Structures are given as C-alpha cells and as structure tokens.
Amino acid sequence: MKSITAFIFIVITAFWFAACVTPAKIEFYDFPSDIAEEAKAANTKMIEKGRILYNINCAKCHNTKEKRKIYLPDFTNAQLDAYTIRIKNETHTNTLQENKITIEELEAIQYFFMYKKPGKPVAEK
Amino acid sequence: MKREIVRISNMKKTCIVIVVLFITVLCSFSFKKQKETTRLYVSGYIQGMRELNENQKTLLDLIQHTDISSAAGIEKVKEQIGVTRSNLKGLDFWLRYLEPVVYKRINGPLPVEWETEVFEKFEKPYKREGAGLTLAELYLDEEHPQKDSLLKLIEASLIATNTYKADSITSQLQDHHHFFLANRLYLLNLAAIYTTGFECPDTKRIIPELRSMLLDVKRIYARFNEGFASTPLSESYLSLYNSAIEFAGKQPDDYIQFDHFTFIRDYINPLFGANQQFINQYRVFTKSYVDYSLNNASTSIFSKDLYFGQSGKGIFRRVNDPAVLKEIERIGKLLFFDPILSGNNQRSCNSCHKPGEYFTDTSRATSLHYDRQTSLPRNSPSLINATYNHLLMMDGKHISLQNQTKDVITNPQELGCGEKEVVQKILDCAEYKKAFRSFLRYTPQETEITLEHITSAITMYYSKFSNYYAAFDEAMNEKKDIGNSVKQGFNIFMSKAQCGTCHFIPQFNGVKPPYIGSEFEVLGVPADTGFTRLSADKGRYGINPAFETLGAFRTGTIRNAEHTKPYMHNGVFTTLEQVVDFYDAGGGAGKKLKPANQTLSPDSLRLTASEKKNLVLFIKSLNEKITFDPLPEKLPASKNKSLNSRKVGGEY
C-alpha cells in the first residue's frame, strides 16, 4: 500500500516537473475563447514556426533583457506588415531580403505576435 | 569657502551654457549651408516637374484647339507630345525610381497591364490601365481618333504627375540614398530599354531623346555633387559619363545604325560597376521595394549574381556551410534521376529535362504524358536559368521553384505521385533518410521531413547549372572579341528586329529592370508550321482569365536557345531561323491568323537575309559554356526490395 502511494506520488511529481520544464506552448499564447480545438492545434503549429523563425532571424536585435529575464517585444500587427517590414530600416534592408527569409516565413512571425500573450518574459538568464 | 565652490560651479554652468550655445549656432550654420545646396538639388526636381506640368497643359490646350481629323493637326499634336516626352525623359531618372507604378500612367507602353509585381505575386493579378504620352501617340495613328479619348490619356498623365509632388516622395530627395539607387535603375534602363524604342513608338526620335536625356541627367549629377559633397560621384565616373555623352553624340541618329554593343560594353556597364561601388562605399540603403531583387555586391550587369530571382536553395536558404550545401546538392542530384518520385517508379525529372540536352527534351515538340502514349500540351522548358525568373511556368502559374517541382511530382499527367506517398517512399531508402534527418537540423522551424525539403534539394541541384557564362557575357565583361557579325546581330536585336523590347538585358527573358515582374506576350503562335490555325492553348488565361491574357505566354530566355529546340510553348518551330522568320512576318497576325489581342506588332520587320543571319549568330553567342556532370551510377536502396531494380533516370 505504502509503495503504491509512493509510486503515484512519484508519477504525479514527474508529470508536474515535466510540465514545468517543457515550455508551456499553449499558455504562452492568447487564443480567442471560442476557437475550436482543431483550429487551435493548426494555429499553434504555424505560430510555433513563427516563434522559431523569430528566434533565428529577429531575436538578436529585438529581445530585451531585464532583471535576468528575457522579454520579447509586443509588436502590433501593423508594425509587422510583411509588405513593408523589409524596408523599415538599414538593418532590415540587409537581413530580410528574399534570399534570407520568405514572405511566408515573415507571415508566420506576424502570426506568432498576433497570438503571443503580451508582456510575458520568455526565459530567464 | 562654501560660497566660493558654489560660485565656481555657477561659473562652470555658465561656461557650459555658452559652449552649448556656441556649438548649436555653429551646427545650425553648417546645417543651413548644407540645406542650401541640397535645396538646389531638390529645386532641380521641382522645376523639372513644373515644366512637365506646363508642357502637359499646353498639350491639352493644343488638342482642344486642333482639328485632329487632319494630317497636319495630328502632326502638330505629335510634335508637342514629343516635346513633352523629351521633358519627361529628363526627369525619368527620378520618376521611374520614386514611383514606378504611377509612372506607367504618365508614359506607359500598354493600355492594360495585369500586375504580378513584387509582393503582388502572392496575390491575384489585378488590372491596371495605362495612360500617357506613348499611348496618346499610338492612339493618333488609329483610324478616326476621338478628341475625348485623346484628352483622357493626357489628363490622366497630368493627374499622375501630381503624385510626385507629395511629401512622401520629395522627402526622399533630402538624402543621398535614393540618388544612387535611382542612378542604378537609370543605368540598367540605359542598357535594356532606352535605346530600343520600348516606350518611343516613333523610331526616329529614339536616339535624339536618348541624347537629351543623357545631358539632362548630367545636370542632375552636377547638382547632386554640389548638394551632397560628402557622398559625391567621383571624377572618373563623371568623366566616363561625359565620354558616353560624346559617344552617343557622334553616333548616327538612326537607332538601327546606333552601336548598342559598344555603348553598353564601354560606357553603361562600367558606369553601373562604379555606381555599385558608391552604393557600398556610401552605405546606401533602400526604402523601396524596387530594389529588393538586386544584389549590391554585383559588379556588372552581365554578372549572374545581379538579380536574385528565385531561390534554388528553397527551404535551405539560410544554410551557408559549403560542406552541408554540397551534401544537399548530392542528394538533390540522386533525387533528380530517381524514378521513385513517380507514381509508377518509372519516370524522373530526367524524363523531360535531360542534362545532355541542356535540361530540356529536344526530341519532342511537347512532353510525353504519364500514360506513355499521349502528349502534354506544352514543350518542356530548359531548367537552366529558371532561377532568373519572377514567375515560373509558361503561364506563370507558380511563384517558387519548389512549388513548381512539387506540382510536377504530384501532377497525375507528369510524375503522378501523392505527396505523402513520395515522402514515405524516399524515407524508405536508408541513404535518403539519413541525409534528410541530418538536414533537419538546418531547418529548426520544421519538426519533420517534408516534401519541401525534398523539392529544395532537387532545385538546389539543377540551379547550379545556371551560374555559367556565355561568350556574349565575356565580351561585355572582359572585352573578349566575339566578331563583327555577332555585334551587328546584337545591334539588330536591340533595334530593327525589336527583340530587346521583350527579351530584356541581361537575362534576355521577360523580366525587365528593376526585375520585379514577369512579362507575358501574345504572339499568335500557330498550331502547325503551315500556319493553318492558331494554337488552341489559352496560356495565361488559364491562370488569370481576361481578354488580354488569352494565348499569352511568359517571355522565356533566349540564352542557350541553340541547344533548347524546339521552340515556342508548343514546340512548333524546330530551327532558330523559323523563329526569326515568324517574328519577321509579324507573328500570327502577320500570317493572317487573326489573334484578337496580339501584343507583337503585326507589321513585317523587313529584316534582310544578312540581318537575320547575324541575329541568329548573336543568339548563338548566348550559349553558356556549361559543364554538365555524369548521371549517378546507382540510386539509394529501398526497404521495399521491388524498388531496387529501378533505372537511373527512369524508363521513359
């Protein structure tokens, strides 16, 4: 009896631990409450793509560090318009050319910011 | 003591204030000085625009008070159109760059255009009506021109010029960035369109207009150097530019006699190289989508790295490690020749794109169907230089090489294999699986191996054959001799034969400077060499149905044409001479086939036998010296043993 309780306890702790260690993907995003689960899954896939692409292409310049925590900017949709983002400034002119990143990829990043919860730190450092 | 310290600190404060004031005054003086000279540059623009407006108004006034049913009246109006266009050409340097879309309403060559430019290629094409001077001049040549219609064309051009007075545009003139980018476009246009009559229907005026434009831009240069003394055009640039003016001045007035070859090789291309240097040296950056497709590092118009075009690397675009790229390419090569990509495991890319035949199939008018019996409707295009396109396929159906490849694999008429099925079959081969697993590391945004990884490896393999140069490029870049006949052929190509107005320098396809769109043309291609009827293929109409797009096809490159027969979308012609004769006759309309919407002039070009001969010699000078590699000896083994006897390159 004792060993079963201990086992259950260990399993629960392990799950709890796993939930804490792996980044909480869904909670990181703000979905409208009436969104269907299927759409949520499909969107999450696209958003995750956007998140990774952001980390590869943009994070270096756009992330900020405050009190050992890393923050992402809270870009608005208008700021991220894929049609003009490439000519926003000198750096973009050099780094966001078509041979470095495609329009589809820029759109995935835009998607990521559309659903990302604002003001939350991404990681501690 | 304390009071002393306070006093000192007060004195310090006063000192600081005085110093700051002094610096501010100094700054504002030097600022003012700079602004004064900048203003001179900007006022050149404003003054020019004002003159253009006045000329447009004079033209409107003249039309209103002239009888355009008489030949003398038409002549009078045409003359004023000429004066206005000359005036416009002096401003072309700025206008074409600062607002290329609006420019088409001031002096567009086509009454209706379907736009697929830059980002717009991701959206449905949309209609844009042209207006302005060239269309007005062409309209005057029609039977019974109406005053109202003529006035509308000019009024539209007058309204369009007002756009150029907007702050968003004039504010760009305040720094040096726009200047070198506008100059780049100007130089590319000098090579590609200004000497060909692209927007000048009266061929007698082409060279005179060119001369006055060269002089007008010289004045722009001088004002720029005064206004932006820290980022000037160098003395050597200006002196070469003066030589170009001198050269054009000494050349004959007739654009057929004009030495296009020397003009580009000795003047325009070196000027372009120098301007690219300025762009890098002065850290010029763009705020315009017009510059996206051009590479700042490219030093020559005839360098293959000038135009980004399509990405052969596809999903691997951010991979730069040469060893990794080489490995992707190796896998891409195996896939290219692997019939595992097809539904019946008997066809590969090689079935219609044979490396020994410049990646096309010279043996068939149109490609063989998947059913192994019937024919597909279109000729197999060469994959060489496919990267230098804005849209792909003859009807412009695809916007990326990878999508195009995917379409061929999944199309039941071509390779006929389902998307999931093909990925599974490939991953069943240990060698492929291992390779793609290792590539996955370079595409962290993807969690699993997709068809895009596979198509990207294929496009990366064949795209490397687009990096070779032709004798003509070497003549332009290194002044290698290519003989007089080729030079004359090129000069005919750029003038009398009217080839250069659609096959633009330097890709020699329908992508014109600044290389942000693909052009389509209706030629009235026949179904047979007896010219009994038009080809039934609707072309671009299938993608974007409209009166103008019926039977329209994307203008292909003429590079390597000698090796990529047969010609036209349906492979109807088998020799270059036949093709030249077809254009010489005025296309399908010239052959009395009556296409409703032919964009090619129906009039004969009246080319002489020797002109045609030289033209073909010039086309042959565009054969690229490509090193093809041998077919792979064997293909990766599959878990499925029955697939291991499949033939390299496929059965048919």
Side-chain angles (χ1 to χ4, degrees):
Chain A
M1 190 65 198
K2 221 178 178 183
S3 63
I4 293 173
T5 328
F7 178 72
I8 291 172
F9 179 75
I10 289 168
V11 168
I12 290 172
T13 330
F15 267 102
W16 182 75
F17 224 83
C20 286
V21 172
T22 49
K25 284 175 188 170
I26 301 293
E27 272 169 48
F28 191 61
Y29 304 120
D30 228 350
F31 287 109
S33 54
D34 54 348
I35 193 167
E37 278 306 313
E38 268 171 56
K40 204 167 170 177
N43 279 359
T44 311
K45 205 175 165 191
M46 171 89 156
I47 293 165
E48 268 300 293
K49 205 169 170 173
R51 184 181 68 84
I52 296 165
L53 288 166
Y54 169 85
N55 283 337
I56 298 171
N57 297 289
C58 329
K60 211 178 141 200
C61 295
H62 289 285
N63 280 359
T64 47
K65 210 159 57 172
E66 211 175 295
K67 289 183 188 162
R68 301 171 63 82
K69 280 182 181 171
I70 296 174
Y71 286 85
L72 263 68
D74 293 316
F75 287 128
T76 63
N77 222 358
Q79 281 176 310
L80 289 170
D81 177 17
Y83 281 18
T84 53
I85 195 93
R86 285 183 163 146
I87 43 172
K88 276 270 159 70
N89 55 48
E90 188 174 351
T91 314
H92 277 199
T93 300
N94 295 324
T95 55
L96 298 190
Q97 291 272 8
E98 183 142 5
N99 57 348
K100 305 238 171 65
I101 188 164
T102 66
I103 278 283
E104 289 95 334
E105 291 175 330
L106 285 171
E107 276 167 0
I109 295 174
Q110 192 177 5
Y111 223 64
F112 164 63
F113 276 102
M114 225 157 88
Y115 288 102
K116 184 186 82 71
K117 277 185 181 167
K120 272 202 159 185
V122 268
E124 293 200 19
K125 192 151 195 183
Chain B
M1 188 70 178
K2 240 182 180 178
R3 201 179 276 167
E4 199 110 303
I5 292 170
V6 171
R7 219 170 52 213
I8 289 169
S9 88
N10 264 347
M11 259 173 74
K12 238 182 178 171
K13 264 187 192 164
T14 326
C15 269
I16 290 169
V17 168
I18 288 171
V19 168
V20 167
L21 264 175
F22 184 72
I23 290 171
T24 320
V25 169
L26 239 168
C27 272
S28 70
F29 262 116
S30 62
F31 216 70
K32 219 175 176 182
K33 197 181 162 206
Q34 207 215 319
K35 269 208 162 153
E36 203 61 55
T37 45
T38 310
R39 206 174 289 143
L40 196 71
Y41 170 74
V42 179
S43 76
Y45 172 86
I46 292 167
Q47 176 72 21
M49 290 308 290
R50 200 177 296 137
E51 278 167 25
L52 178 61
N53 263 198
E54 272 158 26
N55 267 319
Q56 285 167 317
K57 281 177 191 157
T58 313
L59 180 57
L60 278 175
D61 209 46
L62 183 75
I63 295 168
Q64 249 142 7
H65 298 100
T66 306
D67 172 19
I68 58 165
S69 59
S70 75
I74 287 179
E75 218 30 63
K76 236 167 112 185
V77 173
K78 274 191 175 176
E79 200 174 304
Q80 179 60 23
I81 289 178
V83 171
T84 315
R85 198 174 47 228
S86 246
N87 184 185
L88 171 72
K89 283 276 168 83
L91 300 160
D92 241 54
F93 177 88
W94 285 307
L95 306 192
R96 258 183 200 280
Y97 177 76
L98 295 172
E99 232 312 340
V101 172
V102 174
Y103 184 87
K104 290 181 181 173
R105 295 188 64 76
I106 303 183
N107 190 34
L110 289 169
V112 173
E113 272 188 276
W114 285 92
E115 295 293 350
T116 54
E117 293 191 341
V118 218
F119 299 125
E120 293 157 4
K121 75 176 170 183
F122 296 89
E123 292 169 353
K124 267 185 99 148
Y126 62 90
K127 191 173 177 174
R128 186 176 283 143
E129 280 175 29
L133 305 170
T134 294
L135 287 172
E137 189 172 341
L138 288 171
Y139 180 68
L140 280 171
D141 289 334
E142 283 180 23
E143 261 176 72
H144 312 301
Q146 297 299 307
K147 231 175 219 189
D148 282 358
S149 306
L150 189 63
L151 284 170
K152 251 187 214 155
L153 287 172
I154 304 298
E155 273 160 8
S157 120
L158 184 64
I159 293 165
T161 43
N162 287 333
T163 309
Y164 288 94
K165 294 174 190 162
D167 279 351
S168 60
I169 286 179
T170 51
S171 64
Q172 291 184 53
L173 302 171
Q174 302 295 332
D175 58 44
H176 71 282
H177 297 288
H178 81 285
F179 177 83
F180 292 98
L181 297 165
N183 198 36
R184 171 160 75 183
L185 182 58
Y186 168 66
L187 293 166
L188 287 171
N189 279 330
L190 274 173
I193 66 170
Y194 285 138
T195 63
T196 63
F198 177 76
E199 285 160 336
C200 186
D202 183 358
T203 56
K204 286 194 297 294
R205 300 194 60 95
I206 297 170
I207 301 304
E209 273 186 17
L210 171 76
R211 291 190 190 119
S212 83
M213 178 165 60
L214 287 168
L215 283 171
D216 285 336
V217 172
K218 187 184 170 176
R219 276 188 281 277
I220 295 176
Y221 283 171
R223 284 192 170 185
F224 175 80
N225 267 10
E226 265 179 62
F228 300 88
S230 56
T231 55
L233 291 164
S234 64
E235 280 306 318
S236 63
Y237 179 95
L238 292 173
S239 120
L240 184 58
Y241 188 77
N242 282 335
S243 314
I245 294 175
E246 211 176 296
F247 176 83
K250 282 184 187 155
Q251 284 286 308
D253 285 355
D254 183 358
Y255 85 136
I256 300 171
Q257 305 298 320
F258 187 85
D259 186 355
H260 301 258
F261 182 86
T262 309
F263 183 61
I264 297 170
R265 185 193 65 181
D266 293 354
Y267 304 99
I268 304 308
N269 198 32
L271 287 169
F272 174 85
N275 190 66
Q276 289 286 88
Q277 254 180 20
F278 298 137
I279 286 178
N280 290 307
Q281 186 186 338
Y282 300 143
R283 299 183 52 126
V284 170
F285 74 92
T286 177
K287 284 187 174 175
S288 164
Y289 65 82
V290 171
D291 306 302
Y292 278 171
S293 56
L294 292 163
N295 182 358
N296 288 351
S298 181
T299 52
S300 161
I301 297 173
F302 297 89
S303 168
K304 287 270 182 131
D305 67 357
L306 169 74
Y307 167 46
F308 290 128
Q310 296 286 337
S311 167
K313 285 160 92 176
I315 203 166
F316 302 113
R317 67 184 60 226
R318 286 179 288 270
V319 179
N320 289 318
D321 182 344
V324 178
L325 290 173
K326 217 173 158 196
E327 177 61 6
I328 299 173
E329 211 178 274
R330 186 183 73 82
I331 293 297
K333 178 176 174 176
L334 290 173
L335 288 165
F336 190 89
F337 294 98
D338 198 336
I340 211 166
L341 294 180
S342 62
N344 57 12
N345 303 304
Q346 292 182 30
R347 298 195 100 184
S348 72
C349 307
N350 173 68
S351 297
C352 300
H353 304 282
K354 300 177 169 54
E357 297 172 28
Y358 278 67
F359 284 97
T360 178
D361 183 355
T362 55
S363 66
R364 299 181 59 92
T366 64
S367 303
L368 189 60
H369 193 284
Y370 183 69
D371 65 16
R372 213 170 177 166
Q373 284 160 16
T374 51
S375 292
L376 293 169
R378 290 180 194 153
N379 176 249
S380 158
S382 170
L383 300 179
I384 295 165
N385 297 322
T387 43
Y388 302 111
N389 273 308
H390 183 70
L391 299 176
L392 299 152
M393 311 292 279
M394 290 176 200
D395 54 15
K397 185 177 172 190
H398 291 297
I399 60 173
S400 82
L401 287 177
Q402 291 72 36
N403 279 348
Q404 189 270 336
T405 309
K406 179 182 165 183
D407 192 7
V408 173
I409 294 170
T410 53
N411 189 333
Q413 303 183 336
E414 298 181 39
L415 296 188
C417 198
E419 184 170 343
K420 278 194 181 137
E421 189 192 341
V422 73
V423 176
Q424 193 51 53
K425 279 202 288 179
I426 285 166
L427 295 183
D428 279 348
C429 303
E431 189 179 356
Y432 286 139
K433 189 172 182 175
K434 190 175 161 235
F436 280 111
R437 275 231 175 121
S438 75
F439 301 156
L440 213 46
R441 196 176 332 144
Y442 303 99
T443 56
Q445 75 274 21
E446 300 295 336
T447 48
E448 54 191 19
I449 297 159
T450 62
L451 186 53
E452 206 184 339
H453 289 95
I454 291 160
T455 54
S456 297
I458 295 173
T459 55
M460 191 136 104
Y461 163 65
Y462 72 70
S463 293
K464 70 173 178 178
F465 297 102
S466 303
N467 295 329
Y468 292 89
Y469 288 90
F472 185 79
D473 299 313
E474 287 168 357
M476 281 292 173
N477 289 330
E478 301 150 35
K479 292 202 174 181
K480 277 195 189 165
D481 188 38
I482 45 165
N484 237 349
S485 313
V486 171
K487 281 186 205 171
Q488 298 208 340
F490 174 71
N491 290 340
I492 289 296
F493 180 92
M494 294 294 280
S495 58
K496 191 178 172 186
Q498 294 175 19
C499 314
T501 53
C502 293
H503 295 273
F504 301 102
I505 281 176
Q507 280 89 36
F508 296 101
N509 62 12
V511 184
K512 74 163 191 285
Y515 316 119
I516 51 170
S518 276
E519 292 200 349
F520 293 81
E521 304 292 338
V522 181
L523 305 172
V525 172
D528 52 56
T529 46
F531 293 93
T532 55
R533 61 199 158 84
L534 281 171
S535 158
D537 197 329
K538 291 180 175 173
R540 181 70 176 159
Y541 188 92
I543 307 302
N544 174 32
F547 171 77
E548 293 80 15
T549 59
L550 183 66
F553 291 89
R554 183 179 57 80
T555 309
T557 183
I558 56 164
R559 284 178 178 270
N560 305 311
E562 188 187 9
H563 299 294
T564 58
K565 68 166 190 177
Y567 308 107
M568 319 315 275
H569 68 269
N570 54 357
V572 64
F573 300 130
T574 47
T575 66
L576 288 173
E577 286 75 13
Q578 272 178 311
V579 178
V580 171
D581 282 341
F582 172 69
Y583 283 106
D584 184 40
K591 288 283 190 182
K592 310 277 177 277
L593 289 178
K594 299 193 175 125
N597 55 346
Q598 184 169 309
T599 54
L600 183 75
S601 162
D603 304 329
S604 167
L605 298 167
R606 297 199 181 84
L607 296 174
T608 66
S610 79
E611 283 169 343
K612 287 184 190 176
K613 206 180 109 221
N614 290 340
L615 197 54
V616 171
L617 281 174
F618 159 65
I619 292 170
K620 290 180 179 174
S621 81
L622 287 171
N623 290 339
E624 292 168 355
K625 299 165 183 171
I626 303 171
T627 315
F628 296 101
D629 39 71
L631 269 61
E633 275 164 27
K634 59 179 181 115
L635 298 168
S638 169
K639 266 200 279 191
N640 180 351
K641 297 275 187 308
S642 68
L643 288 177
N644 288 341
S645 56
R646 65 194 198 274
K647 195 177 157 194
V648 175
E651 300 286 338
Y652 69 101

